[in-house]
Amino acid sequence: MPTQTIIETQNVFKTYRLGSEVINALSGVDIKIKKGEFVSIVGKSGSGKSTLMHLIGLLDTPTSGSILLNDKDVSRLNQNELSFQRNRSIGFVFQSFNLLQRTSSLDNIILPLKYSQVPKSEWESRALKMLEIVGLSDRKNNKPNELSGGQKQRVAIARALINDPDLILADEPTGNLDSKTGTEIIELFRKLNKSGKTIVIVTHDEELAEVANRKIILKDGKISKTL
Amino acid sequence: MRFFEIATSSITALGANKVRTFLTMLGVIIGVSAVILLISIGRGIQNYITDQFDALGSNLLFVSPGKVSFGRDPGNSFSRNKLEEKHIKLIQTHATDIVEQITPMVNVSETVKYKTKYYNAAVTGINEEGKYLFDYSIDEGAFFTRADVRSGSRVAILGKSVKDELFPNQSPIGQSIKISGDSYVVIGTSKEKGSDFDEQVVVPYTSAINSFELKNISRIVVKVKADKDLNSATKLIEKALLRDLEDDDFTVLSQADILATIQNILQMLTIGLGAIAGISLLVGGIGIMNIMLVSVTERTREIGLRKALGATPFDVALQFLIESVLLSVTGGSIGIMIGWLASFAGRAYIRTEVPWWSVAIAFSFAAFVGIIFGTYPAVKASKKDPIEALRYE
Ligand SMILES: Nc1ncnc2c1ncn2[C@@H]1O[C@H](COP(=O)(O)OP(=O)(O)OP(=O)(O)O)[C@@H](O)[C@H]1O
Ligand SMILES: [Mg+2]
């Protein structure tokens, strides 16, 4: 049985127009990410990494080309359908954590469930399980300003996991962390991948890029190499 | 997302910035309490007028000079005033059946003096029948007689307030007071009757005409016999007066007519006051919009995050709309309470009243303002692009 493809881009272009200037952020990108993979996307600043990430995260639609999520074309969905798909299939981890202030770890982790069909009675038990996975069971009532950077990122990862998404997308997840804490987060991603999670990470971090089983190198909006 | 969950997020956001939340609500609080208070004061004035008329007794018909237009004291329009004493005879002769009592009346607002004390009283000239017609009860002394009226005696009956002010510790009977330069002897005081009656100094109308050098009487008041119909009595009096006067020289009005007209005017005044206060409520709404727009900008990242995690544009719009409606509705409720309390405090001066419809209107208007002025910021929030919103600065 061939491994299932989670996400696939087919000849994807993304063009920005700033007045008369045309910026080709992506020009003809084809990637395929299979279930259980751990892929890193690297490249120089401005090479189009984040743009690609936004497209496979369904935060944006391509100028041309197609994006297939679980073999279904999602590149022409409307805002509501995209929201629904993001909620169900994608878990985001950001460089700057993006936790809600004045909100406990537990409630931050629950946030995606509030926009899902999951019954309320399951919310807390699910969130507690996620906290356990990221090793923060003893911090469930702490608010972001009471957590270290590494702990914040663990909460964010727990939040990304809670809807059991098909794909975890992380853009520079170690960018705001010191190297020791960064290594711990990398270790966590590796552990998650071992347990079957599909993970795509955009990074400058050599160490993190090496941990991935596949490295996609972008240059000027095109794939220059896959390792 | 369930409505309840969205509402919880809205409440959390409002609670996170209590001072701002309160200041934003303040506009609505002031607007709503002003609406409630002003309408209740308008109501108080209406009640005051009604009380005034009740104190007057019923079955009264008023003959005023000219074709009546309210807002102008008929007694002052001398050019048009053709009412004289002889018209009383005319009514007595040709409408005998319906007249219980009849009196001419002159009213002058005048400072009354006793030694060094002053009182700005309503000097009222009537005849001896006026005592029964207006139902005066004498406290001390006696009312003036038919002979006093005939001869134009300078005698006076003091209303309760006038007596208390000029003669706090002594009996005024037999004392001499000055009205418009003439000396009048106090021969009686009337019991407390409420409203303007207590401010009166009642004198024979003949004396008043003399002292104030009047040419005419201000009006004629007729008390119609209890078993007679007021409408046919009005017709009869009109017929009698037409023997000597033209149709537009006079107007016969019943107390109910006058009351209805005044109440009409006051009702409009009340609504006008409420509407003016409504403008401040509108300003409160603009304040809400202003703050909501600031809030949308400040919370760009939160909006982007929620969208990335699966919030639809509608979910985001609803969250912000609920915030502005909560602001306006909570402000509205506090405003109703404050307006009601202020109206209650005002009862020391005037019989204010908070009609249920003013509460309903103020509350729905506040909610409406919240929806109207909350929609634009909410739509703006819902249109935020999550990528823009999450871009790391
Ligand atoms: N909204 C936009 N409008 C115009 N140009 C844009 C927009 N977003 C991205 N770009 C341009 O597209 C190109 C790719 O940007 P992108 O953010 O994907 O780069 P990146 O590889 O993530 O860079 P970095 O490593 O610095 O994050 C850049 O030239 C950028 O200026
Ligand atoms: Mg980037």
Side-chain angles (χ1 to χ4, degrees):
Chain A
M1 193 181 95
T3 323
Q4 190 193 336
T5 302
I6 300 283
I7 197 127
E8 182 174 355
T9 68
Q10 296 176 338
N11 199 25
V12 157
F13 283 76
K14 184 72 189 181
T15 310
Y16 293 106
R17 267 170 230 283
L18 291 174
S20 60
E21 203 190 344
V22 175
I23 298 162
N24 290 307
L26 294 177
S27 9
V29 172
D30 293 275
I31 58 168
K32 210 179 229 191
I33 289 157
K34 294 207 156 63
K35 189 168 169 57
E37 273 197 293
F38 189 164
V39 177
S40 66
I41 301 176
V42 294
K44 285 212 200 74
S45 184
S47 55
K49 306 183 296 288
S50 296
T51 307
L52 179 59
M53 186 99 192
H54 294 149
L55 289 176
I56 59 183
L58 310 187
L59 288 167
D60 205 355
T61 49
T63 311
S64 71
S66 303
I67 294 170
L68 307 183
L69 173 67
N70 294 323
D71 299 324
K72 277 199 290 278
D73 191 349
V74 291
S75 43
R76 303 287 175 269
L77 296 183
N78 68 26
Q79 290 290 320
N80 287 338
E81 292 162 333
L82 286 174
S83 290
F84 178 73
Q85 285 299 339
R86 280 199 295 271
N87 182 252
R88 268 191 15 164
S89 309
I90 317 280
F92 289 97
V93 178
F94 306 94
Q95 178 174 357
S96 50
F97 323 128
N98 278 315
L99 300 177
L100 292 182
Q101 298 303 310
R102 301 190 198 82
T103 307
S104 69
S105 304
L106 201 65
D107 285 333
N108 263 299
I109 295 169
I110 283 172
L111 194 57
L113 294 180
K114 292 187 174 180
Y115 298 101
S116 74
Q117 306 299 319
V118 177
K120 195 172 180 174
S121 52
E122 292 180 22
W123 292 2
E124 188 168 336
S125 60
R126 274 212 199 190
L128 288 171
K129 206 181 295 164
M130 296 306 131
L131 271 172
E132 204 180 304
I133 291 175
V134 300
L136 272 184
S137 295
D138 55 341
R139 290 283 183 278
K140 64 175 178 148
N141 292 321
N142 292 68
K143 295 177 179 165
N145 58 350
E146 299 157 358
L147 298 174
S148 72
Q151 289 171 330
K152 282 187 215 175
Q153 199 59 302
R154 283 168 194 271
V155 172
I157 291 169
R159 181 178 65 192
L161 290 171
I162 196 155
N163 254 345
D164 191 21
D166 300 313
L167 183 63
I168 305 271
L169 282 179
D171 195 345
E172 300 282 7
T174 57
N176 278 14
L177 303 173
D178 61 56
S179 62
K180 182 175 165 286
T181 322
T183 308
E184 285 168 23
I185 294 296
I186 293 166
E187 192 48 41
L188 178 56
F189 277 117
R190 224 170 53 88
K191 201 180 92 190
L192 289 172
N193 177 246
K194 283 256 157 59
S195 72
K197 292 286 164 198
T198 313
I199 299 172
V200 175
I201 286 177
V202 166
T203 186
H204 280 107
D205 188 332
E206 284 299 321
E207 190 189 347
L208 181 49
E210 292 313 318
V211 173
N213 12 91
R214 193 147 64 97
K215 194 154 104 178
I216 297 174
I217 303 174
L218 273 185
K219 196 180 172 205
D220 298 334
K222 291 195 181 81
I223 295 174
S224 75
K225 232 192 258 174
T226 308
L227 300 170
Chain B
M1 191 190 193
R2 280 157 267 210
F3 181 82
F4 176 76
E5 292 307 324
I6 294 186
T8 312
S9 319
S10 306
I11 293 168
T12 310
L14 291 176
N17 215 329
K18 293 192 183 63
V19 175
R20 180 198 281 187
T21 299
F22 173 73
L23 288 176
T24 310
M25 283 196 303
L26 202 55
V28 178
I29 293 175
I30 291 172
V32 167
S33 49
V35 169
I36 298 285
L37 181 62
L38 287 182
I39 289 178
S40 89
I41 289 175
R43 264 306 167 95
I45 297 173
Q46 280 176 282
N47 286 337
Y48 172 77
I49 299 287
T50 310
D51 293 350
Q52 203 81 326
F53 274 79
D54 285 348
L56 217 56
S58 50
N59 283 2
L60 298 188
L61 288 178
F62 298 81
V63 181
S64 305
K67 269 292 158 234
V68 156
S69 64
F70 284 97
R72 187 164 56 120
D73 182 3
N76 284 340
S77 46
F78 291 109
S79 58
R80 305 274 310 143
N81 190 347
K82 295 185 181 164
L83 276 189
E84 291 172 43
E85 295 174 63
K86 67 177 179 189
H87 297 123
I88 292 172
K89 295 257 156 46
L90 216 52
I91 295 171
Q92 277 170 331
T93 325
H94 297 282
T96 327
D97 281 357
I98 54 118
V99 176
E100 172 95 27
Q101 279 124 16
I102 185 166
T103 179
M105 196 168 182
V106 296
N107 287 105
V108 179
S109 179
E110 180 71 36
T111 305
V112 174
K113 261 202 288 186
Y114 171 67
K115 290 188 178 155
T116 58
K117 290 191 179 127
Y118 294 84
Y119 195 91
N120 200 358
V123 177
T124 306
I126 51 176
N127 68 11
E128 75 287 354
E129 288 186 27
K131 171 177 190 271
Y132 307 101
L133 200 153
F134 292 117
D135 200 21
Y136 288 109
S137 344
I138 296 303
D139 188 24
E140 203 182 335
F143 208 77
F144 49 77
T145 62
R146 191 182 173 89
D148 289 327
V149 174
R150 282 246 177 97
S151 60
S153 316
R154 299 253 154 96
V155 292
I157 317 292
L158 303 186
K160 178 88 164 79
S161 312
V162 185
K163 187 254 160 194
D164 287 348
E165 186 70 26
L166 295 185
F167 301 95
N169 304 315
Q170 70 179 103
S171 166
I173 306 297
Q175 301 297 327
S176 175
I177 58 173
K178 279 235 180 330
I179 303 174
S180 183
D182 294 330
S183 293
Y184 281 71
V185 175
V186 179
I187 58 167
T189 61
S190 59
K191 283 191 181 141
E192 188 161 5
K193 189 162 156 64
S195 72
D196 284 353
F197 282 101
D198 294 336
E199 319 249 309
Q200 281 181 340
V201 172
V202 183
V203 300
Y205 77 95
T206 44
S207 327
I209 284 176
N210 202 297
S211 287
F212 295 111
E213 296 169 355
L214 304 173
K215 294 188 187 66
N216 302 87
I217 55 182
S218 309
R219 64 181 72 85
I220 298 167
V221 186
V222 180
K223 182 164 189 177
V224 177
K225 286 191 173 143
D227 57 338
K228 299 294 187 219
D229 173 53
L230 274 187
N231 281 329
S232 42
T234 306
K235 295 258 156 54
L236 215 57
I237 291 172
E238 281 172 346
K239 232 172 105 190
L241 289 173
L242 281 173
R243 287 165 181 269
D244 185 57
L245 294 168
E246 297 297 318
D247 179 52
D248 52 2
D249 286 338
F250 70 95
T251 310
V252 183
L253 283 172
S254 73
Q255 188 185 318
D257 293 337
I258 299 171
L259 187 60
T261 312
I262 295 177
Q263 291 292 28
N264 246 333
I265 295 167
L266 287 177
Q267 183 74 12
M268 283 195 295
L269 182 84
T270 304
I271 290 168
L273 284 176
I276 291 168
I279 292 173
S280 64
L281 189 47
L282 213 61
V283 175
I286 295 169
I288 290 184
M289 178 148 90
N290 197 4
I291 290 299
M292 289 311 295
L293 285 173
V294 171
S295 173
V296 169
T297 307
E298 278 181 358
R299 285 152 69 192
T300 298
R301 285 176 82 80
E302 178 197 329
I303 296 166
L305 173 71
R306 286 180 186 270
K307 279 193 156 184
L309 299 186
T312 62
F314 178 79
D315 290 333
V316 173
L318 194 60
Q319 181 185 343
F320 281 86
L321 191 60
I322 291 174
E323 274 181 42
S324 55
V325 171
L326 274 177
L327 279 171
S328 70
V329 163
T330 313
S333 309
I334 297 173
I336 286 170
M337 262 153 52
I338 291 178
W340 187 82
L341 284 175
S343 153
F344 192 76
R347 287 198 148 211
Y349 308 98
I350 188 163
R351 199 150 65 81
T352 57
E353 199 178 285
V354 178
W356 67 267
W357 55 261
S358 76
V359 175
I361 287 177
F363 189 81
S364 356
F365 192 44
F368 180 72
V369 156
I371 292 170
I372 292 300
F373 289 101
T375 299
Y376 175 64
V379 167
K380 209 174 153 186
S382 76
K383 288 201 172 133
K384 287 240 177 231
D385 179 357
I387 298 172
E388 291 295 324
L390 288 170
R391 178 159 288 151
Y392 183 64
E393 326 265 331

